[in-house]
Amino acid sequence: MPTFIKNGRVIDPSQNLDGLFDLVLADGRIAEIVTPGKSKATAGETFDAKGLIVAPGFIDLHVHLREPGQSYKETIATGTMAAAAGGFTSVCPMPNTSPINDSPAITRWMRDPERGAHVNIFPVAAASMGSQGEQLTDFAALKRAGAVAVTDDGKPILRDEIMQQALAAAAKLKMPVVQHAEDTRITRDAVMNSGPTAFRLGLRGWPPEAESSIVERDLRLAAETKGHLHVAHLSTAAALAAVRKAKQAGIHVTCEVTPHHFMLLDEDITDYNTNFKMNPPLRSGQDREALLTGLADGTVDCIATDHAPHAHHEKNAEFDRAPFGIIGLETALGLSISMLHVQRKIPLKRIVELFSFNPARLIALEGRGTLAEGSHADITVFDPAEKWAFHVAHSFSKSKNSPFDGWRLQGKVVATIVGGKIVWQSGENRK
Ligand SMILES: [Zn+2]
């Protein structure tokens, strides 16, 4: 029996669509996309999307779901429930689990239905064994097991020859190498961005060059190998300028930016609140301005959350000692609409592109990131006008380490549909 999503404003960059359409779903796919009321199908349940945006399901290229090994922080089940509540229909868990996801067995384990995932899981596997940066993993076997990219995220691939080999090997499989761009030789013991705030707080600062120098090295290697470099959580003006220039030169490079980096600044760290400690660190106003420009002009390819849950006892420590990272799945859309659309006037179509069309293309997910007939019925329905308050106590994540607790946001997910099934629906709109 088909299901209808009626009267919504469909924004689908893959087909250059922005207008009122009805969707007809059947067997987990988009069966039809038609002018309202014009479908020949009649019987079926109807979801009324009047006044709402209907978009291809959001895809988060960068999440930490902490399984296997650290299920006290998060599980695949709880993390993907938070993803569903945040409008994400697919997520890419990073390999810095325990053990590290450097084998087809662990990649398959993550994708096993036994894990109870609420949305699609497309793992990013380790680029080197144990993410030690010395010996490459078996990219072809990892890809067959379901991995969509490789990375040693949590740390960089530091050695030139290993990064070069990784780019060359991944290129043959048309997979990106995702780089956590941090020259750890110059960030030792650093806990926040270097600058006046670090000086005032007496904390060790982390220079922006730690990111841009690795990005510049990687761009040279990408040019040499014709490999696809994807820069994770890009945070500095210098790195963004390097990516922009490389794109113009035809180098295969893409990048993602997190909501916290386009929203917050290093100077927001006022009272050693460890929910403002992340890697890369919050940067200067000039860096944030550059990211906002890149998000508007197309230099930035995706918004990714870097959802990084940590238990209360871990974050409840001195700033120097607390682990890096914050949760981010449930606040990503609200922060994006509030900052990018309301304040910066970036069109909704561009925001949808950043959340779904671009990430799907980046990791070559067939039939996702689009609402074309025949594609998977992965759909995010949201209200760009609704104002709401985020309360971390209500988060579906096992961890509550968010700097946005109590924030008023505009833009709310109303329903998240995966393979034609509603996996999350906001209370007010439940019928
Ligand atoms: Zn990282």
Side-chain angles (χ1 to χ4, degrees):
M1 198 193 284
T3 304
F4 301 94
I5 301 175
K6 285 188 175 164
N7 307 312
R9 175 178 159 198
V10 171
I11 299 183
D12 181 6
S14 82
Q15 306 181 81
N16 203 20
L17 280 186
D18 183 350
L20 296 180
F21 293 95
D22 287 351
L23 293 182
V24 185
L25 315 185
D27 304 321
R29 301 268 174 172
I30 312 276
E32 277 185 276
I33 175 163
V34 293
T35 311
K38 289 284 186 260
S39 170
K40 287 180 213 72
T42 47
E45 281 175 52
T46 295
F47 182 97
D48 186 6
K50 191 158 192 275
L52 304 175
I53 306 293
V54 177
F58 295 171
I59 299 161
D60 191 343
L61 292 180
H62 198 133
V63 301
H64 298 273
L65 299 182
R66 306 302 191 203
E67 263 194 315
Q70 295 181 308
S71 53
Y72 68 96
K73 294 177 194 253
E74 192 79 287
T75 65
I76 289 173
T78 58
T80 54
M81 195 59 229
F88 293 97
T89 56
S90 297
V91 293
C92 300
M94 292 292 124
N96 61 338
T97 47
S98 182
I100 298 276
N101 178 18
D102 59 8
S103 74
I106 299 174
T107 300
R108 280 194 295 269
W109 184 91
M110 285 183 172
R111 286 170 56 84
D112 193 312
E114 290 266 300
R115 303 287 86 73
H118 298 277
V119 307
N120 306 306
I121 298 266
F122 297 107
V124 177
S128 70
M129 296 306 294
S131 282
Q132 292 297 311
E134 275 151 29
Q135 188 200 340
L136 293 190
T137 52
D138 184 345
F139 293 2
L142 290 165
K143 187 178 181 181
R144 284 195 298 277
V148 293
V150 291
T151 188
D152 282 345
D153 186 56
K155 47 187 175 180
I157 302 171
L158 220 44
R159 282 173 57 191
D160 296 1
E161 65 273 29
I162 300 296
M163 187 59 183
Q164 183 185 36
Q165 287 169 20
L167 283 163
K172 290 193 189 121
L173 298 161
K174 297 193 169 15
M175 284 204 290
V177 176
V178 179
Q179 179 69 298
H180 169 114
E182 173 191 356
D183 189 339
T184 46
R185 292 164 298 200
I186 57 176
T187 59
R188 203 170 305 234
D189 300 325
V191 293
M192 68 171 291
N193 190 43
S194 56
T197 307
F199 186 77
R200 189 167 49 77
L201 295 174
L203 295 171
R204 190 182 289 266
W206 178 316
E209 297 76 42
E211 179 175 88
S212 55
S213 63
I214 295 288
V215 170
E216 281 160 20
R217 189 275 315 255
D218 289 349
L219 288 169
R220 283 196 300 277
L221 295 174
E224 224 171 277
T225 56
K226 306 261 189 292
H228 175 184
L229 171 68
H230 178 70
V231 184
H233 41 55
L234 187 144
S235 66
T236 59
L240 189 77
V243 166
R244 182 180 285 118
K245 204 172 136 203
K247 283 188 167 191
Q248 284 157 2
I251 295 170
H252 195 177
V253 57
T254 50
C255 68
E256 70 195 26
V257 162
T258 71
H260 48 274
H261 286 113
F262 70 63
M263 203 74 199
L264 302 172
L265 297 176
D266 59 356
E267 61 202 51
D268 293 325
I269 306 171
T270 48
D271 55 356
Y272 302 94
N273 181 344
T274 60
N275 287 332
F276 290 79
K277 180 179 178 182
M278 55 282 278
N279 181 350
L282 298 172
R283 302 290 190 179
S284 70
Q286 188 206 334
D287 289 308
R288 182 176 69 178
E289 216 40 56
L291 300 185
L292 289 166
T293 302
L295 284 157
D297 75 12
T299 309
V300 175
D301 296 276
C302 315
I303 294 170
T305 65
D306 195 6
H307 177 81
H310 291 293
H312 179 72
H313 73 268
E314 296 170 309
K315 274 296 203 182
N316 190 24
E318 288 166 57
F319 200 89
D320 270 329
R321 287 162 192 268
F324 294 100
I326 59 166
I327 58 170
L329 287 162
E330 290 149 293
T331 45
L333 179 75
L335 291 169
S336 298
I337 297 293
S338 303
M339 185 60 161
L340 306 181
H341 184 59
V342 178
Q343 286 196 44
R344 298 294 171 128
K345 311 289 176 234
I346 296 178
L348 290 173
K349 192 173 165 199
R350 169 72 181 140
I351 293 171
V352 168
E353 190 177 281
L354 286 159
F355 271 111
S356 67
F357 179 56
N358 284 356
R361 277 197 310 178
L362 211 148
I363 52 170
L365 288 183
E366 196 125 353
R368 302 190 201 275
T370 171
L371 296 173
E373 289 178 358
S375 54
H376 294 278
D378 290 356
I379 302 162
T380 303
V381 183
F382 66 94
D383 184 344
E386 187 176 339
K387 297 191 172 107
W388 61 291
F390 173 68
H391 294 296
V392 75
H394 301 155
S395 170
F396 286 102
S397 173
K398 252 193 180 182
S399 292
K400 310 295 174 198
N401 50 316
S402 168
F404 302 114
D405 188 29
W407 278 45
R408 300 276 311 161
L409 301 173
Q410 181 172 333
K412 195 166 190 312
V413 179
V414 174
T416 307
I417 298 167
V418 177
K421 289 197 187 74
I422 296 181
V423 295
W424 190 81
Q425 193 170 353
S426 83
E428 306 84 275
N429 288 275
R430 230 182 289 258
K431 299 231 166 70

